[in-house]
Amino acid sequence: MSIDSAKTPFAVTLDVGGSLLNKTGSWRSERPVYVDRLPPCNHACPAGEDIQGWLYHAEEGDYRGAWESLIANNPLPAIMGRACYHPCQQACNRAQLDQAVNIHAVERYLGDLALEEQWPAQIVNPPSGKRVLVIGAGPSGLSAAYHLARLGHSVEIHEAGPLPGGMMRFGIPRYRLPREVVDGEVQRIVNMGVELQLNRRVDDIPKALEDGGFDACFVAIGAHIAKRVDIPGPDAARIVDAVSFLRDMETGDAPLQLGRRVVVYGGGNTAVDVARTAKRLGAEPMIVYRRSRSQMPAHDFEIDEALEEGIVVNWLRTITESDQQGFKIEKMTLDENGWPQPTGEFETIEADSLVLALGQNVDQSILTNLPGVTLNRDGVVEVGADMATAFAGVFAGGDMVPAERTVTVAVGHGKKAARNIDAYLRGETYRPLPKSEVANFETLNTWYYTDAEQKMQPVLDAARRRSTFEEVHTGLDADSALFEARRCLSCGNCFECDNCYGICPDNAITKLGAGKRFEFKYDYCKGCGMCVAECPCGAIVMTPEAT
Amino acid sequence: MLQQIEGSAAVAQAVATCRPEVIAAYPITPQTHIVEGLGDMVKRGLVGNCQFLNVESEFGAMSVCIGSSATGARTYTATSSQGMLFMMEAVYNASGMGLPIVMTVGNRAIGPPINIWNDWSDSMAARDAAWIQLFVEDNQQAADVHVQAFRLAEAASLPVMVCMDGFILTHAYTRVDVPEQAQVDSFLPVFEPRQLLDPAAPITMGAMVGPEAFAEVRFLAHYKQLEALDLIPRHAAEFEAIFDRDSGGLLKSFDAEDKDTVVVSMGSVIGTLKSVLTDMRQDGSSIGLLSIRSYRPFPKQQLSDALANARRVIVFEKCLAVGMGGILAADVRMALANLSIPIYSVIGGLGGRPITQDNLRRMLDKGVQDQLEEPHFHDLNVEVVHRELERLRDIQRPGSSAESILRDIAGADAAARGSR
Amino acid sequence: MTKVPDSEQRVKFYQTGTFTVGNRLLDEAQRTVQASVERANSLDSGHRACQGCGEALGARYVVDAALRAADDQLIAANATGCLEVFTTPYPESAWRLPWIHSLFGNAPAVGAGIAAALRARGREDVRVIAQGGDGGTTDIGMGCLSGVFERNDDVLYVCYNNQAYMNTGVQRSSQTPPAARTATTTVAGSEPGNELNSGKSVPLIAMAHGIPYVATASVNDLHDLEYKVVKAMGFRGARYLEVFVPCPLGWGSRPADTIKVARLATQCGMFPLIEAEYGELTAVTRIRDRRPVEEYLKLQRRFAHVFAPENAHQLEALREIAERNIRRFNLLPNEEAAP
């Protein structure tokens, strides 16, 4: 039955939908605006990864997309997914809800998948015709080479050693980082057209630049001169340094004759690496550290794993001299400032050898013919925020510049240097985009996320770890990787959950469709702010109206 | 079909022939027999797919009717007295939304004191509710006017009350020619609602209207009722053509033309008045009778025309506007404002007080001699009133207006006694 | 036995925003009605509800879901009240479905009339929803509501409960919680605010009628709400859904906090989310992340006085209400419902 609306009672009966004529937006004193805040993981990542960005793809099971997003910033995800100490997870807001997202494990999953599938890296810019020399094939140099190649430049890496990887190969034991992973990710960079020359030491950078016709140079030779401490005693041969020990493990150049009882002196990750390596070689290592456990620079989980593997740690001890049986050590005590002070109490440890893991210095010879470039008080090369040295066209990064000495920092340096070199080659100055405000936990509305415990990576049984160099941590399976990715809260960035669209009492939001996010209908938005309060990820803010 | 039948049963059968689709029923004396009858017919499957709802109150009844009528169903209910008051909010609502509901009012007094007997207080309470109010004189009309009421309601898109005196008509067994289905079908077309809650063409019914348009809404309600003044006689004529009976219409003259005195009234008392007036005419009085059949809309012009030559008018009604006087009389006076003749207001039959030919004759004999006070309370027991007022005199001091009405009725009563 | 609604179980693996309105990781069919660009927007923009109105939101949630469940064959009857006034001031209607407002206390009966008419006319494919606020439903409309229930009329009645007469300026209703301030239960005298030990549970009264389905829902949990609307629409006969809808104006809460306040009401036990069929409790929505009652109360000025030391007994009384709800309906996780 059709009804002629002209016949319906005046004013009492209305046609539908007429309220659209009433523009309630005029009620508003504040307007909601969509923003992208900086997720804390991204903020914490020394390599500058857009972690949330690649997790977004991974959540959908689009691993190729996730990996490509990942390697836009970091060319070594399979390595970093193992060697990185993942500060992202310390920053992860989810830790305040249950546990951090296991970003590290998902990164490794993607990295391994890419190696397995042999996904190639893409070059995004056309060839620039510029040539760049990278000195050192460690993480920083490889990263710089990759990014420069990606940006269209021609890159040559001159590596002094026999194998690429730097500390990734010569510092990190293979039970933490299998060598085929290193080889695979280096090869991918080489496949981009980067020329890798091994056993090619550069002593005179200006000359090398001129000889090779390079337009710029990135130096990343690392810090591999071991720090020594004078331990008086008859038999200096029984004292080796950690760098040499770990390098020899890789090159097999020298016999590893440490004996059964090995003392490792130091409290950093290298000390722990040495002790765990020695353990796997059949020795009984003991770590001696002059301060307390909580002051050890080594990561907690590494110490825990070492202890699980049966490694003894002696805290608050210094080694004062060596003798035929072993080493004389003095007990220390902490003063009120937390510094170790001698107690005058001594004891002797019977041991066959001592490995010094007391840190490394930069090889100064690299400064030859680089006027103005100097080492600072800490023995590292001063660079600007753009990673440039005082010598025009020469940039530096990695362990040889002032920064935390981690693979991740090094990779970050490589990227940053590459971007600055790219700008330099075009006669410009690289200007990074201003960083957004960090999306802290208080900006989130976490009610909307299900409780979901972190998926732990399987860990090799401690008994087997004592005798094998098999990887301690194995990767996540596909389901767990997906599950982890989906634990991401998407802090500060819209993940198209439709909350704003759904909870607006005024229908004042247009849903633009997958990937296109949303738009406010300011004609109708009354400015109640519910969308801001109920946005799970803090991607909307209220701003005062202009008038 | 001619039957000896209770008025309520006749109405029930007549309503059933109108093919109602939804009936809301709530018991209240004296209308109850109607919905009982309909309920029984529905249950026996004699009323098609009609839905018969036993609701929880008269308010619920009218509310169900509102929903049902707005959804395009032919809808019926019935009420009386307190029930009318209890549904009153919904009564106004039904007309405000222009919903063609038909409701029988089994006219009954309103308490307290609680009283189940007939007068028109309930219909009069709804006088301004913007419903059409049709009064019937006997059960034949009661049956017939319901058929016309559906036609009218749906044509005008307005609700209609059919007002029939409680007990006097509802419970009276008389001969009624109950409308035949085929004839009703030829008179009453299928309901084509002017507005309809329909998902295929959504509308919003019952909007809030502010000062900017409220007056216009009310004017249009008034205008719609005036339009019904044309529809009602047209429908009555069509009805007569099919059924060969004179039922309905705006008003009916019984020898009122060119009479000196015309009595104006409504409902079942018309029958009694007809007998009395026949006697009076035989006795030489120039007196006629006019029955108002459409009380709302009120046929002002038609009444004025009919009474153009009268020299006095006596309005007899079964209701009282307390503090004012006759309600129908006030309407008649407004209609006859152009005539400079006395118009007497007589109020009687309240709460079922019997109206007899005798007491009517006494009252009218005074009336034709211009001896009725204003207003005249028919058959009032003045002694009782006096006694009660006497008892109260010590505790209250009535004002002069109240005193004067008492003097009037005392004098009138004395005169009545004297004349007997 | 208590069971988790299907809607929750289905999305268990989709952690990212599992409880959000939409979820790009879910199949379209499993997402909420509100997530769809094709939702009806039955209550459209331009209505005149206050900023952050819970009722405007709740009504669109319910009616949109009911429309989808009824394949758009739906008619609504509406009681007088905010929802009516802010949606249909002449000449603008915000509704997009056939809708009728009659009176304050008769929406259930109007709905019954619509249902009767549809049945009489053989249009039972068209479904009926009747709705109103708590005053129109549980006070002045209670008679008609009970009538619809006991006759088992084919009407889904939805009460948007904001716990007072808001349209007339925040007066007490039978749903006003103890101690709450309203314009007729002012903060004055020795027992400020509403009387303790007053009020009634209409869902329980509805259950006593033995009708096919009774449920409570809240604007804070759309999945739960839509699940219940769809479930209700799956029954024929009388159904009752009470939706908790905070009123920023009447409660003295921030407009932006409307959903937060609703969420806390369920999290602290003050508003239990339950389901019943044919008079028997069949399911409860367990509290996720229980919060103290104080956290709920503190967001609302109508309860400000209960934090004064001299009114400690009022705060205690409110705590007891929450405790009783939690006990009675087994609202905490990992507890079996009482037999």
Side-chain angles (χ1 to χ4, degrees):
Chain A
M1 206 176 301
S2 70
I3 294 297
D4 179 356
S5 71
K7 287 185 184 170
T8 60
F10 167 71
V12 179
T13 296
L14 305 175
D15 289 333
V16 296
S19 64
L20 292 176
L21 295 170
N22 186 31
K23 302 290 171 66
T24 51
S26 62
W27 302 11
R28 194 175 58 233
S29 59
E30 285 186 308
R31 65 165 57 195
V33 176
Y34 289 108
V35 293
D36 284 290
R37 285 191 169 112
L38 182 62
C41 49
N42 294 11
H43 183 58
C45 179
E49 284 187 22
D50 179 12
I51 294 164
Q52 188 190 81
W54 57 257
L55 281 173
Y56 182 90
H57 295 291
E59 284 161 31
E60 294 171 350
D62 174 14
Y63 298 129
R64 179 75 183 257
W67 179 78
E68 278 173 359
S69 165
L70 202 174
I71 65 160
N73 292 300
N74 167 19
L76 309 170
I79 294 171
M80 296 265 265
R82 291 172 167 85
C84 179
Y85 292 112
H86 41 79
C88 51
Q89 291 183 216
Q90 265 85 62
C92 177
N93 280 327
R94 177 126 210 165
Q96 296 181 56
L97 207 57
D98 36 38
Q99 301 96 31
V101 175
N102 200 341
I103 297 165
H104 185 59
V106 180
E107 178 173 41
R108 170 173 164 174
Y109 179 82
L110 294 174
D112 287 353
L113 190 63
L115 288 175
E116 194 183 315
E117 303 283 333
Q118 300 194 323
W119 291 334
Q122 305 295 324
I123 295 172
V124 296
N125 285 359
S128 67
K130 303 284 186 185
R131 283 171 52 75
V132 183
L133 172 64
V134 171
I135 305 172
S140 197
L142 288 166
S143 169
Y146 162 83
H147 282 291
L148 287 163
R150 187 176 160 86
L151 293 169
H153 306 300
S154 170
V155 185
E156 240 177 76
I157 304 176
H158 293 181
E159 164 58 47
L163 292 165
M167 290 305 280
M168 299 187 294
R169 183 183 302 273
F170 298 110
I172 299 170
R174 59 179 62 208
Y175 62 84
R176 277 179 56 204
L177 179 56
R179 298 310 179 228
E180 59 272 21
V181 171
V182 177
D183 293 341
E185 297 213 303
V186 171
Q187 188 58 46
R188 189 167 58 224
I189 295 170
V190 169
N191 291 348
M192 294 169 79
V194 169
E195 193 179 333
L196 174 61
Q197 298 186 9
L198 299 172
N199 298 309
R200 181 155 181 190
R201 182 183 165 93
V202 175
D203 289 319
D204 184 335
I205 291 173
K207 184 170 184 300
L209 291 178
E210 197 181 325
D211 290 353
F214 294 107
D215 302 292
C217 172
F218 179 63
V219 196
I221 58 164
H224 47 82
I225 309 292
K227 287 183 187 170
R228 305 286 296 203
V229 64
D230 185 37
I231 296 171
D235 190 3
R238 290 191 301 132
I239 302 177
V240 298
D241 68 79
V243 180
S244 308
F245 170 74
L246 292 170
R247 184 175 53 226
D248 291 351
M249 281 294 297
E250 288 308 306
T251 57
D253 283 350
L256 296 157
Q257 292 177 338
L258 293 175
R260 186 172 59 87
R261 295 162 304 177
V262 179
V263 174
V264 182
Y265 194 22
N269 287 316
T270 306
V272 178
D273 286 345
V274 169
R276 295 178 70 186
T277 300
K279 183 79 188 177
R280 282 161 172 78
L281 292 170
E284 289 171 14
M286 169 195 285
I287 293 170
V288 173
Y289 178 54
R290 65 194 183 105
R291 300 173 73 180
S292 66
R293 164 153 189 179
S294 63
Q295 292 162 310
M296 279 179 90
H299 288 99
D300 240 15
F301 78 91
E302 292 248 40
I303 300 166
D304 285 340
E305 285 177 9
L307 293 170
E308 282 165 26
E309 291 166 12
I311 290 158
V312 177
V313 185
N314 256 317
W315 290 282
L316 291 167
R317 301 288 190 277
T318 54
I319 299 176
T320 55
E321 57 188 274
S322 73
D323 57 27
Q324 296 300 330
Q325 277 70 45
F327 300 94
K328 186 176 175 188
I329 60 177
E330 182 175 5
K331 288 191 183 174
M332 306 298 279
T333 185
L334 295 179
D335 65 16
E336 66 270 23
N337 297 319
W339 291 103
Q341 300 298 338
T343 59
E345 283 181 60
F346 292 90
E347 54 192 35
T348 299
I349 303 172
E350 291 188 6
D352 302 311
S353 59
L354 172 66
V355 182
L356 298 176
L358 302 169
Q360 291 110 256
N361 288 327
V362 176
D363 184 350
Q364 294 196 36
S365 65
I366 196 70
L367 301 182
T368 308
N369 282 332
L370 285 179
V373 182
T374 52
L375 298 186
N376 73 3
R377 239 190 318 189
D378 296 324
V380 289
V381 173
E382 285 290 359
V383 287
D386 55 357
M387 311 306 292
T389 66
F391 192 90
V394 176
F395 296 74
D399 285 359
M400 67 179 288
V401 304
E404 198 190 351
R405 286 177 173 171
T406 70
V407 172
T408 320
V409 168
V411 166
H413 282 176
K415 178 178 83 170
K416 196 170 172 189
R419 291 188 177 164
N420 282 289
I421 290 167
D422 176 63
Y424 167 82
L425 292 173
R426 284 184 279 106
E428 294 168 9
T429 305
Y430 174 65
R431 295 197 197 288
L433 294 172
K435 297 227 171 187
S436 312
E437 184 193 349
V438 174
N440 56 33
F441 190 73
E442 287 63 45
T443 64
L444 308 179
N445 188 335
T446 57
W447 185 86
Y448 291 100
Y449 303 106
T450 329
D451 296 340
E453 303 267 308
Q454 190 187 57
K455 295 283 183 190
M456 302 298 287
Q457 287 169 269
V459 178
L460 197 64
D461 185 63
R464 288 189 65 201
R465 282 172 9 210
R466 288 170 191 155
S467 59
T468 167
F469 280 89
E470 267 181 58
E471 207 173 358
V472 172
H473 296 272
T474 45
L476 296 177
D477 60 27
D479 277 355
S480 300
L482 187 67
F483 185 94
E484 268 314 298
R486 289 179 173 186
R487 292 181 67 241
C488 174
L489 306 179
S490 193
C491 307
N493 292 279
C494 176
F495 61 103
E496 298 186 23
C497 74
D498 298 327
N499 250 24
C500 52
Y501 176 65
I503 59 92
C504 176
D506 295 293
N507 302 341
I509 290 167
T510 306
K511 180 174 174 175
L512 299 173
K516 298 182 196 146
R517 297 188 173 182
F518 306 88
E519 207 169 73
F520 287 106
K521 292 187 246 180
Y522 290 116
D523 273 355
Y524 300 109
C525 167
K526 293 171 185 163
C528 69
M530 270 166 67
C531 52
V532 176
E534 299 307 319
C535 177
C537 63
I540 312 175
V541 293
M542 294 303 283
T543 57
E545 284 292 337
T547 46
Chain B
M1 190 177 68
L2 212 52
Q3 299 176 57
Q4 187 72 20
I5 189 170
E6 192 202 27
S8 293
V11 168
Q13 287 188 25
V15 168
T17 61
C18 295
R19 305 188 187 278
E21 292 169 292
V22 174
I23 294 170
Y26 190 81
I28 184 166
T29 305
Q31 65 76 23
T32 313
H33 289 183
I34 303 172
V35 291
E36 285 174 359
L38 279 165
D40 184 59
M41 282 185 275
V42 169
K43 217 154 172 56
R44 288 171 194 278
L46 304 174
V47 200
N49 199 27
C50 181
Q51 302 297 304
F52 185 89
L53 276 73
N54 284 293
V55 294
E56 70 288 341
S57 70
E58 286 89 354
F59 179 67
M62 185 49 63
S63 300
V64 162
C65 290
I66 288 166
S68 149
S69 184
T71 314
R74 183 169 286 164
T75 302
Y76 172 81
T77 189
T79 195
S80 295
S81 184
Q82 315 296 139
M84 171 75 91
L85 298 191
F86 196 58
M87 69 164 61
M88 191 60 85
E89 192 191 9
V91 167
Y92 272 74
N93 195 253
S95 57
M97 287 204 279
L99 298 172
I101 299 159
V102 170
M103 176 164 73
T104 307
V105 183
N107 287 121
R108 169 183 150 184
I110 287 170
I114 188 164
N115 175 299
I116 63 167
W117 309 104
N118 168 242
D119 68 30
W120 303 335
S121 301
D122 44 13
S123 286
M124 289 300 159
R127 179 191 63 179
D128 298 332
W131 283 55
I132 288 171
Q133 291 190 333
L134 306 177
F135 277 74
V136 298
E137 294 151 19
D138 54 37
N139 284 340
Q140 184 63 58
Q141 283 184 34
D144 294 346
V145 168
H146 277 90
V147 177
Q148 295 184 36
F150 280 107
R151 172 94 185 262
L152 175 62
E154 289 162 15
S157 202
L158 274 176
V160 177
M161 286 181 205
V162 179
C163 306
M164 63 189 291
D165 286 317
F167 290 107
I168 298 168
L169 296 181
T170 57
H171 287 57
Y173 278 76
T174 56
R175 274 164 65 89
V176 176
D177 192 354
V178 178
E180 300 285 344
Q181 185 67 61
Q183 288 175 304
V184 172
D185 287 346
S186 65
F187 175 77
L188 179 61
V190 169
F191 176 28
E192 294 278 357
R194 282 200 205 171
Q195 53 181 345
L196 178 67
L197 294 170
D198 180 3
I203 51 169
T204 293
M205 292 180 69
M208 183 178 75
V209 179
E212 74 283 5
F214 196 82
E216 289 72 20
V217 169
R218 299 305 293 164
F219 172 83
L220 289 166
H222 179 61
Y223 186 85
K224 251 171 105 177
Q225 283 236 343
L226 297 188
E227 284 184 314
L229 286 172
D230 296 331
L231 288 174
I232 292 166
R234 206 189 308 156
H235 291 163
E238 280 184 43
F239 186 89
E240 188 165 8
I242 293 169
F243 292 86
D244 198 24
R245 284 195 296 276
D246 161 39
S247 285
L250 294 171
L251 42 70
K252 177 76 177 174
S253 165
F254 297 102
D255 284 324
E257 294 75 16
D258 303 324
K259 296 293 188 296
D260 291 347
T261 303
V262 178
V263 179
V264 176
S265 193
M266 312 190 289
S268 62
V269 75
I270 293 292
T272 321
L273 280 166
K274 275 198 277 191
S275 304
V276 174
L277 297 196
T278 304
D279 292 349
M280 287 177 75
R281 276 195 296 274
Q282 279 171 2
D283 294 347
S285 279
S286 170
I287 189 164
L289 176 63
L290 200 78
S291 173
I292 306 282
R293 290 180 172 176
S294 169
Y295 178 61
R296 284 292 180 270
F298 194 75
K300 277 198 292 190
Q301 188 59 50
Q302 293 80 351
L303 188 70
S304 171
D305 293 346
L307 299 181
N309 300 322
R311 297 176 63 186
R312 76 175 65 71
V313 172
I314 298 169
V315 181
F316 185 87
E317 59 191 304
K318 299 185 190 178
C319 53
L320 168 66
V322 174
M324 173 60 192
I327 300 170
L328 180 59
D331 291 329
V332 171
R333 280 174 181 146
M334 185 176 280
L336 303 183
N338 57 334
L339 303 180
S340 336
I341 54 169
I343 298 167
Y344 298 99
S345 171
V346 180
I347 294 149
L350 297 183
R353 175 71 63 95
I355 301 164
T356 63
Q357 294 194 21
D358 280 354
N359 61 29
L360 278 178
R361 176 67 189 258
R362 281 200 297 279
M363 179 272 291
L364 291 172
D365 284 345
K366 286 203 309 185
V368 297
Q369 294 168 52
D370 296 318
Q371 285 177 359
L372 291 172
E373 74 287 358
E374 172 55 38
H376 174 74
F377 285 84
H378 181 67
D379 196 30
L380 186 73
N381 188 332
V382 177
E383 279 172 26
V384 170
V385 173
H386 271 299
R387 232 180 0 257
E388 178 62 9
L389 292 176
E390 198 61 42
R391 190 177 71 80
L392 294 174
R393 197 172 296 277
D394 293 339
I395 54 172
Q396 66 185 36
R397 187 168 293 279
S400 58
S401 304
E403 288 279 10
S404 68
I405 186 181
L406 208 56
R407 270 196 305 277
D408 281 351
I409 61 166
D413 189 59
R417 280 166 213 270
S419 71
R420 210 178 307 173
Chain C
M1 288 299 295
T2 301
K3 53 183 188 260
V4 180
D6 292 346
S7 57
E8 267 179 49
Q9 282 175 341
R10 274 203 307 271
V11 296
K12 194 142 196 173
F13 188 58
Y14 297 83
Q15 296 86 11
T16 307
T18 294
F19 296 95
T20 51
V21 167
N23 189 329
R24 67 193 161 87
L25 304 176
L26 280 175
D27 290 342
E28 291 277 359
Q30 288 179 312
R31 298 182 199 174
T32 64
V33 174
Q34 288 304 310
S36 167
V37 289
E38 272 138 32
R39 75 182 188 209
N41 279 334
S42 51
L43 173 47
D44 212 344
S45 305
H47 65 71
R48 291 154 194 258
C50 303
Q51 293 175 319
C53 175
E55 190 176 32
L57 182 59
R60 195 190 72 225
Y61 280 178
V62 169
V63 180
D64 279 3
L67 271 166
R68 183 188 275 187
D71 203 12
D72 293 335
Q73 300 299 300
L74 187 71
I75 296 173
N78 209 114
T80 308
C82 284
L83 183 59
E84 166 261 326
V85 168
F86 73 65
T87 56
T88 57
Y90 164 80
E92 297 156 3
S93 171
W95 295 100
R96 293 202 165 273
L97 79 167
W99 180 97
I100 182 170
H101 157 247
S102 175
L103 297 167
F104 198 8
N106 73 351
V110 173
I114 295 169
L118 291 168
R119 192 162 176 202
R121 303 176 66 222
R123 285 301 307 272
E124 281 163 287
D125 58 314
V126 181
R127 308 300 303 277
V128 185
I129 192 168
Q131 56 188 1
D134 49 295
T137 303
T138 72
D139 291 350
I140 197 170
M142 195 67 194
C144 287
L145 185 68
S146 179
V148 163
F149 288 168
E150 67 81 16
R151 287 190 304 271
N152 202 23
D153 292 323
D154 190 14
V155 174
L156 167 59
Y157 193 92
V158 186
C159 171
Y160 302 103
N161 189 348
N162 58 19
Q163 303 190 330
Y165 291 87
M166 298 313 184
N167 188 41
T168 45
V170 198
Q171 294 82 19
R172 178 199 181 274
S173 80
S174 67
Q175 300 305 304
T176 302
R181 177 195 72 182
T182 70
T184 50
T185 55
T186 54
V187 177
S190 59
E191 289 291 334
N194 191 25
E195 292 289 317
L196 303 182
N197 305 311
S198 64
K200 63 185 175 187
S201 164
V202 176
L204 294 181
I205 294 170
M207 282 167 65
H209 288 75
I211 59 175
Y213 188 67
V214 174
T216 58
S218 171
V219 283
N220 83 282
D221 191 341
L222 177 66
H223 291 272
D224 186 68
L225 183 149
E226 287 192 353
Y227 156 80
K228 286 167 177 172
V229 172
V230 170
K231 184 144 185 197
M233 293 297 288
F235 290 93
R236 289 280 173 176
R239 294 139 287 149
Y240 182 70
L241 178 65
E242 186 172 303
V243 183
F244 190 78
V245 290
C247 170
L249 183 79
W251 296 9
S253 54
R254 291 173 57 234
D257 282 342
T258 291
I259 290 178
K260 183 178 184 185
V261 168
R263 185 159 52 235
L264 283 166
T266 58
Q267 284 176 305
C268 74
M270 286 298 275
F271 191 80
L273 299 177
I274 64 167
E275 286 182 275
E277 292 174 32
Y278 302 101
E280 288 176 30
L281 192 69
T282 52
V284 301
T285 304
R286 296 288 169 77
I287 291 175
R288 202 160 59 80
D289 185 17
R290 186 182 178 186
R291 311 302 308 171
V293 170
E294 290 86 334
E295 213 175 301
Y296 166 64
L297 303 176
K298 277 195 167 142
L299 294 175
Q300 307 170 54
R301 281 199 303 280
R302 64 174 174 158
F303 290 116
H305 56 279
V306 306
F307 293 100
E310 66 272 21
N311 297 326
H313 65 288
Q314 292 191 318
L315 182 57
E316 192 48 41
L318 291 164
R319 278 201 204 100
E320 275 169 24
I321 291 169
E323 283 296 336
R324 201 177 309 128
N325 285 338
I326 286 170
R327 242 186 355 259
R328 178 179 202 171
F329 298 110
N330 271 298
L331 295 177
L332 295 181
N334 307 319
E335 279 177 77
E336 283 303 307

